[in-house]
Amino acid sequence: MNTVIALGNDTDQLSLLSFKEAVVDPFHILTYWNSSTNFCNWHGVTCSLRHQRVTALNLQGYGLQGFIPPEIGNLTFL
C-alpha cells in the first residue's frame, strides 16, 4: 500500500520531534519542544512568516549529542 504524504507544517513539527528524540540534550533546551506550543516558537527554530515553515535551526553551543535523523530532510524550507 502506497501512502502519499503532503509535506507541510505538520511534517516540519514531526521532523523536529524526531530530531529531539535522536539527541541527548544535557541543558534541557528542547524540553518545551512539544505540541502545546507552535513549533515556530520553539527555542532555536526560525520559520518563514509567509509559509510558517522551518527555515533555520540554531542550536549551537548547547552540547547536543546524537545523530541527525533522516526525517530532518523533510524540512524542505531549511
Side-chain angles (χ1 to χ4, degrees), residues 20-78:
K20 175 184 175 182
E21 294 301 316
V23 299
V24 175
D25 178 17
F27 297 109
H28 307 288
I29 61 161
L30 306 181
T31 299
Y32 298 103
W33 279 28
N34 58 57
S35 59
S36 67
T37 306
N38 182 285
F39 64 89
C40 290
N41 295 321
W42 292 353
H43 182 82
V45 177
T46 302
C47 290
S48 66
L49 294 175
R50 181 176 182 190
H51 299 288
Q52 290 295 293
R53 301 290 305 274
V54 176
T55 57
L57 290 175
N58 184 358
L59 300 168
Q60 182 177 348
Y62 292 107
L64 298 177
Q65 298 177 11
F67 68 96
I68 298 173
E71 292 86 356
I72 210 77
N74 294 331
L75 298 173
T76 56
F77 281 61
L78 186 63

